Amino acid sequence: MLEKSNDFKTMRAALGKDYGDIDEMISVNEGVPVPRISDIPKKDRKNWIIIKTLAVSLAPGDCRVLSGKTRELQGPPSLPYIP
């Protein structure tokens, strides 16, 4: 969720730091910089999109993927990971 400010430079983000028990590996961080198109390398911009969201949730499937139990079939592209 974006902080209450007029410039929207930072946001709150859930960060998955590794595989494991969801209560231990997910943290909510304040003051994370809002991503900008200029943060994406020019060669990759045609394959990326930035979407402003106001609310999100984690579903049971997210917890299963982040636990590492399905690592061979599905998983985050890299860690740390912001779901």
Side-chain angles (χ1 to χ4, degrees), residues 48-83:
W48 287 73
I49 186 169
I50 296 174
I51 300 171
K52 178 181 176 180
T53 56
L54 299 179
V56 297
S57 67
L58 287 176
D62 298 316
C63 296
R64 181 185 65 246
V65 169
L66 294 172
S67 73
K69 294 177 182 176
T70 60
R71 188 182 319 196
E72 292 180 18
L73 302 173
Q74 59 186 155
S78 64
L79 295 168
Y81 174 66
I82 298 178

Side-chain angles (χ1 to χ4, degrees), residues 7-68:
D7 53 25
F8 299 116
K9 293 183 179 178
T10 63
M11 65 182 187
R12 187 181 313 161
L15 175 68
K17 52 190 165 200
D18 201 353
Y19 291 110
D21 181 45
I22 199 78
D23 293 328
E24 296 175 10
M25 54 78 63
I26 290 274
S27 62
V28 177
N29 299 309
E30 304 267 348
V32 175
V34 172
R36 298 173 302 174
I37 291 291
S38 60
D39 296 334
I40 302 169
K42 284 189 177 188
K43 65 181 177 110
D44 295 330
R45 288 183 189 170
K46 66 180 180 182
N47 299 320
W48 287 73
I49 186 169
I50 296 174
I51 300 171
K52 178 181 176 180
T53 56
L54 299 179
V56 297
S57 67
L58 287 176
D62 298 316
C63 296
R64 181 185 65 246
V65 169
L66 294 172
S67 73

